[in-house]
Amino acid sequence: LRLNPSHGVPAADWLQEVSVEELAWVIYTYGEDDPVISDRIAERVLRHQRQRGRSYRSTGELAEVIKAVKRWSFPLDGPRPGKYMNQVNPAKKTLNGIRVFLNRELQQLEEGLVGAMNLLKMGGRCAVLTFSPPERRVVHEFFRNHEDAPAEDVRELSPQRLVELYPLAATRCTFSVKR
């Protein structure tokens, strides 16, 4: 699950150390699954690993366990097909979520945004394309936290309230953003 095998923790090693609660949190937060399904997947993935007495050897092996949980929770065929019927691979979002977490991809996105803002000249523009809800959340939060307060708010709000509404006011950041 790593683009560069020489950096970061292999998913197989991480799965040996992680708790059910942490894995469920990663799946829910980064893999876009609902909390109950995330718990089920985490429980099954780690139980399957313990029962075999060894770590996962491939993402395909891990994907089969995840697919089994999703197929059981949302049948893919039968009289009433479930929500994963049209998905090419029901394990895709879960595996992507684990990868995003292990590679710190959302943190790197935020660091990239800071770097881009520091390179822009006054009045410059930066376009950001996102491909998933977690990426969108990072970008929206970054913009929200780096917006300059309108002059009217600076005049009329208390310093404490100003910082609550415009976190940038409490920093020494050298840039601000406008949506």
Side-chain angles (χ1 to χ4, degrees):
L1 294 176
R2 295 174 296 158
L3 294 175
N4 184 346
S6 66
H7 293 297
V9 177
D13 294 350
W14 179 71
L15 286 170
Q16 288 288 324
E17 305 293 325
V18 72
S19 68
V20 171
E21 294 79 15
E22 184 180 4
L23 179 55
W25 175 82
V26 166
I27 293 168
Y28 173 69
T29 304
Y30 296 94
E32 306 172 54
D33 276 310
D34 74 50
V36 173
I37 298 302
S38 298
D39 284 340
R40 289 177 187 172
I41 292 169
E43 189 67 49
R44 182 77 62 88
V45 162
L46 296 181
R47 183 172 4 117
H48 187 260
Q49 182 175 254
R50 277 192 314 271
Q51 288 172 345
R52 286 186 358 265
R54 64 171 177 81
S55 61
Y56 289 93
R57 293 197 174 128
S58 70
T59 53
E61 188 179 355
L62 178 57
E64 287 306 314
V65 175
I66 295 166
K67 283 191 245 182
V69 173
K70 287 189 172 183
R71 284 193 174 118
W72 178 77
S73 300
F74 302 102
L76 293 174
D77 53 11
R80 293 181 357 173
K83 75 183 231 180
Y84 295 104
M85 179 66 176
N86 296 325
Q87 238 180 24
V88 174
N89 183 345
K92 180 180 177 183
K93 285 186 177 180
T94 305
L95 291 172
N96 281 344
I98 293 169
R99 187 202 74 235
V100 166
F101 174 76
L102 290 177
N103 293 333
R104 301 184 65 248
E105 291 175 22
L106 298 182
Q107 292 85 345
Q108 290 179 32
L109 172 58
E110 188 168 353
E111 292 165 7
L113 289 169
V114 169
M117 296 302 127
N118 285 322
L119 291 174
L120 288 174
K121 293 181 181 176
M122 183 67 77
R125 294 177 184 227
C126 176
V128 181
L129 301 177
T130 61
F131 297 96
S132 70
E135 290 173 352
R136 250 185 313 286
R137 280 193 300 272
V138 168
V139 172
H140 284 284
E141 185 176 321
F142 179 85
F143 286 150
R144 193 172 35 253
N145 290 337
H146 290 86
E147 279 183 305
D148 224 353
E152 179 183 342
D153 286 352
V154 172
R155 281 191 311 272
E156 299 195 14
L157 295 174
S158 71
Q160 181 180 354
R161 185 65 178 148
L162 188 66
V163 169
E164 288 172 2
L165 296 177
Y166 300 94
L168 181 67
T171 72
R172 294 180 188 264
C173 192
T174 59
F175 63 86
S176 65
V177 299
K178 189 188 301 184
R179 291 192 232 191

